[in-house]
Amino acid sequence: MSETVFRALVAVIGLGFALLFVILVVPPLLTNPDVPGAAMAGFVNPYAAGYASDAIACWLILAVWVGYEAAHRGVRHGWVCLLLGVVPGVATGLAAYLLLRHAQASARDL
């Protein structure tokens, strides 16, 4: 896979998830702005709780990775990706971090 295809795919998937989040979550949240209730709705049954727990664990792993690479590899501004990992979600935060990390690594190689 070429670098251009990699960057394009990661960007499209990350932005695609963000768009899906806006389409699925924002309208009901505007109707009933109960953010804690919306967050807890991810735990309404065992299946939803499994997916919600997976998303939380993935964000925690991303946070550990971002912290490690900031300290040991000098990757800057990863905290922005952690915020994106909360809203709209880990898929967008991870995609942003991969693109940020790739850009910084490529700049160092030049």
Side-chain angles (χ1 to χ4, degrees):
M1 174 182 311
S2 73
E3 180 179 335
T4 303
V5 171
F6 165 75
R7 288 188 354 240
L9 284 173
V10 169
V12 165
I13 293 168
L15 290 172
F17 173 77
L19 179 63
L20 185 64
F21 179 87
V22 168
I23 291 169
L24 294 175
V25 175
V26 172
L29 201 55
L30 291 174
T31 304
N32 181 14
D34 178 16
V35 174
M40 294 311 296
F43 296 91
V44 295
N45 63 54
Y47 306 109
Y51 283 112
S53 298
D54 178 61
I56 293 167
C58 287
W59 186 90
L60 291 170
I61 291 168
L62 178 62
V64 169
W65 186 20
V66 167
Y68 174 81
E69 289 203 332
H72 295 281
R73 298 224 167 108
V75 179
R76 297 174 316 279
H77 310 299
W79 63 271
V80 174
C81 303
L82 293 178
L83 291 178
L84 290 171
V86 174
V87 175
V90 180
T92 300
L94 175 60
Y97 186 71
L98 289 174
L99 293 172
L100 175 78
R101 179 183 188 273
H102 183 73
Q104 290 181 23
S106 294
R108 276 188 226 121
D109 290 341
L110 297 177

